[in-house]
Structures are given as structure tokens and as C-alpha cells.
Amino acid sequence: MNLSEIGYRRVVVKLGTSVLTSGSKQLDKAHMVELARQMATLMKAGVEVVLCTSGAIAAGREHLGYPELPDTVANKQLLAAVGQSQLILAWSQLFSIYGLHVGQMLLTRADLHDRERYLNARDSLNALLAHGIIPIINENDAVATNEIKVGDNDNLSARAALLCDADLLILLTDQQGLFDADPRSNPDAKLIKQVVNIDDSLRMLAGGAVSGLGTGGMATKLQAADIARRAGVEVVIASGHHPQVIQKSVCKAPVGTHFTALENPLESRKQWILAGQATKGKLVLDQGAVLAVTQKGRSLLSKGIIEVQGEFERGATLQLIDRDGKEYARGMSRYSAKDLIKIAGKHSDNIESLLGYDYGDAIVHRNDMVVL
């Protein structure tokens, strides 16, 4: 590979279960070694690689001889616990062919939600990369509950891209990319080669998973692309079985669907708010507040809040929506839900008299807000 052709210095590669199994019930080691070869070629060309891999549950089923187990959370965690060790062993053996070491990082949303743990995870990633070791990331399914799960490795890989300040996120799947219609039912569907803006019409094109083996579909890939590009990370969605797909993506050859990054990426704290925080509630804003937040660069004040939804404490991340439920921004509240119910719609000057204390005029300060 010609180093002068490479446009990136740090790349996150996400591999879905359908790519790792090639649509079968077991890991396709022959294809995995080809993917490892492509990533090893990048490493030796000076590009740092982070691998976000699915497949633990599939590997667990294979290792245990495809047991017939009730579809419970405990049994999925059992399969993940058994399969994760098999999955990391397979990757370790495959990368060792090319003289490379790997390091395992198992994450949950809780690791990304807490600012200190988020920064610790970032430091671990950077330390591995600094020593030429390929970080291999997966969700910690053996212990994760619904409350702390990211839920799919598409979104986890986007968060990993933010964690390590990557330039490019490659989402490899069993589809060639994003189409203007469903290619499974419409033979005239055309591949969308370039995406500059992600809007509602584009989201409607994204369908669910069809392989039955993974948890992510095109909709989650679009969510992941949106998170990454807001932080200045370019994204490619492509087929994991396209020849030389990783190298072509990194050399900016035409493959799959390419999402351009936003020109003014979010600063570190706002990246964390977008990537790590699970929203705890919603604030319904009047039209004036929506305009102030989205167009005028203002903080959210109590007077512009129509309704408070959910139960949450001070510091929780909230969705800021209009009367129709459309989300315009996301940010950290300086007041609890109990407090906000008392001061919603009231002038900021009245906060102290209504509550007996105040944490400032802003309910969600501009510095703690991501406008969507």
C-alpha cells in the first residue's frame, strides 16, 4: 500500500456478526484472516487501527455445539461469556500471523456515561495504540443489563471513534451500503455513494437487520454515522465481503456509502454528552425556546419550558423537544425534574423564590448542550 494514498491516521473498523459468519452459524475463519490481513497492512503503513467486533454470542453457540437454550437474558449472557473468550482467541491467533498483538476492551454504557470512566477508557485505548497493539472492543454482554447496554455495536463503534479521536469509521455489513430503496424488494434500488446531510427522508430508507444473527440494521448504522460525523469523523458503510474493502475505504476509493464529517466538529465535552450519556427525560420547549437554542446559540431558560417528562436528578442528560415530539437538542440539566416542574414557564428571576435556592439562570447551559 502506498502511504501517500492514505488519507487517515486512525481508523475504527466495525465488523458485524453477518460479516464474521458469512451468513452461516459459525465464524468464517478464512474470511476473518483476510480482514485481519487488510488491517495488518494498514498498521504496517502507519495507520492505527481499532477493531470493534461483534460475534461473541455466535461464537459461544458454535463452541458449545449449538445447544437448545430458552431465549432468556441469562442464557444470552452465558453464550456471550463463553463466546467472547473464543472470539478474542481467534483474533489474537489471526493477528499473530502478521506479528501483531491485540488488547481486549469490554465496555458498557456505564463506562461511557461517567466522565471519569470515559476518560479512563480513552487513555487505555490511546496507550494500546501508542504501543502498536490493536484494541479489540465489544460490548460486555456477559454483565450488561438493558439499563447500561449501548445495545448494538454500530453505536458502540461510533463511541469508540469518539473515544480515540479517529479520522474514519468503517461499518462493514452484509449490504453494499445505503440504497435509495430496499434492494431486497426493489431491483432498481441504487446505491447512495455520498451523504452530506442525514435528514428524516434518509432515515426512512434505513431498515432493520435481516440476517437474524446480529442486533444492528441499517438504522443503527445511520445513527452511528450521525454520531461520528458530528465529531468530525468520516464514515463508510460497505460490504464486509467486498474485495479489499478496508484498504479501499482508507484510500478513499469508491466503495459503499461515504458520509462526510461536519466541518465544525463538537468539542470534547459535547462529544461525551452525545456519545456517552443515556437520556433520562425530555423537556418540551415552546417555539421561542426552540429558536433560541437552535438558531441563536442560547442556553435554555425556564421560561421556555412547557412540560417536563420523566424522573431525573440534576446532571441528567435530557432531550429537548417541541410540542410535536421532534428532538432539537440534547444536554445536561442543572436542575432535577422535581425542581423543573415548579419553575417551568417561569422567569429566571423567580427561580430562587420558588425553590429556595438556584443553580443559575440556565436550565441547560449552552456549554452542556448538543444541537441536533
Side-chain angles (χ1 to χ4, degrees):
M1 179 182 293
N2 187 348
L3 190 60
S4 64
E5 297 177 349
I6 299 175
Y8 309 97
R9 60 175 181 80
R10 186 173 286 182
V11 177
V12 175
V13 178
K14 184 269 175 177
L15 302 174
T17 301
S18 60
V19 174
L20 297 177
T21 61
S22 299
S24 68
K25 290 185 177 181
Q26 60 191 36
L27 297 178
D28 183 353
K29 301 287 181 60
H31 187 53
M32 288 173 68
V33 74
E34 164 57 18
L35 295 169
R37 182 195 65 77
Q38 292 183 51
M39 287 182 272
T41 301
L42 288 186
M43 291 284 287
K44 294 185 177 180
V47 181
E48 296 173 330
V49 176
V50 176
L51 173 59
C52 188
T53 178
S54 302
I57 291 177
R61 284 198 180 99
E62 177 185 352
H63 187 68
L64 295 177
Y66 310 101
E68 293 185 8
L69 300 172
D71 189 20
T72 64
V73 171
N75 284 331
K76 288 180 180 178
Q77 291 175 325
L78 177 156
L79 293 171
V82 172
Q84 184 60 39
S85 60
Q86 297 302 308
L87 185 63
I88 196 68
L89 176 62
W91 282 122
S92 180
Q93 291 173 337
L94 294 176
F95 279 111
S96 69
I97 297 172
Y98 304 101
L100 292 171
H101 296 290
V102 303
Q104 178 176 251
M105 290 187 66
L106 299 178
L107 301 174
T108 66
R109 186 186 288 277
D111 298 309
L112 304 173
H113 178 87
D114 181 82
R115 180 67 171 169
E116 185 175 355
R117 288 166 70 174
Y118 178 91
L119 295 175
N120 286 340
R122 186 184 68 179
D123 290 344
S124 296
L125 262 176
N126 287 329
L128 290 168
L129 292 168
H131 288 84
I133 298 169
I134 297 180
I136 297 185
I137 297 174
N138 198 359
E139 182 144 32
N140 197 353
D141 290 321
V143 300
T145 61
N146 287 335
E147 289 75 20
I148 63 171
K149 283 178 70 66
V150 175
D152 63 87
N153 275 355
D154 294 320
N155 277 288
L156 182 63
S157 67
R159 286 155 170 80
L162 271 60
L163 266 178
C164 69
D165 192 25
D167 305 298
L168 176 67
L169 169 61
I170 305 173
L171 301 170
L172 297 183
T173 180
D174 53 5
Q175 299 292 321
Q176 293 180 43
L178 183 64
F179 285 80
D180 61 3
D182 190 342
R184 294 164 288 175
S185 57
N186 187 342
D188 297 323
K190 292 182 175 59
L191 179 68
I192 301 173
K193 296 182 179 180
Q194 187 80 21
V195 173
V196 177
N197 295 308
I198 297 178
D199 53 23
D200 290 341
S201 62
L202 197 65
R203 292 185 182 94
M204 289 179 65
L205 295 175
V210 294
S211 66
L213 295 168
T215 56
M218 197 57 71
T220 61
K221 289 169 180 58
L222 208 57
Q223 292 170 3
D226 200 20
I227 290 171
R229 63 192 290 275
R230 289 178 186 276
V233 183
E234 294 182 36
V235 182
V236 172
I237 299 177
S239 169
H241 287 82
H242 185 97
Q244 306 292 332
V245 62
I246 296 175
Q247 291 169 317
K248 287 180 179 178
S249 298
V250 171
C251 290
K252 299 188 177 183
V255 60
T257 302
H258 181 267
F259 296 78
T260 56
L262 297 190
E263 291 184 3
N264 299 308
L266 300 171
E267 64 265 27
S268 176
R269 181 172 175 79
K270 291 189 177 182
Q271 288 183 18
W272 169 65
I273 291 171
L274 187 63
Q277 297 280 72
T279 55
K280 300 293 186 181
K282 299 177 182 180
L283 299 180
V284 183
L285 313 187
D286 63 26
Q287 203 54 43
V290 170
L291 182 64
V293 164
T294 60
Q295 303 297 324
K296 298 181 179 180
R298 305 275 178 79
S299 299
L300 174 64
L301 303 180
S302 54
K303 190 168 179 60
I305 301 173
I306 300 172
E307 183 185 350
V308 180
Q309 299 180 2
E311 296 181 4
F312 50 86
E313 296 302 319
R314 182 171 181 256
T317 298
L318 309 177
Q319 292 175 278
L320 308 186
I321 63 176
D322 65 10
R323 296 174 188 268
D324 297 323
K326 181 177 180 181
E327 183 180 7
Y328 285 91
R330 192 171 297 183
M332 295 173 62
S333 175
R334 295 190 170 185
Y335 292 85
S336 68
K338 184 179 177 181
D339 288 343
L340 287 177
I341 290 172
K342 296 177 182 177
I343 63 177
K346 305 294 194 302
H347 196 279
S348 301
D349 292 343
N350 297 326
I351 291 178
E352 186 171 3
S353 62
L354 290 168
L355 298 180
Y357 53 86
D358 76 79
Y359 298 114
D361 292 348
I363 305 305
V364 179
H365 194 276
R366 189 70 190 178
N367 293 340
D368 297 329
M369 184 192 304
V370 179
V371 176
L372 305 176

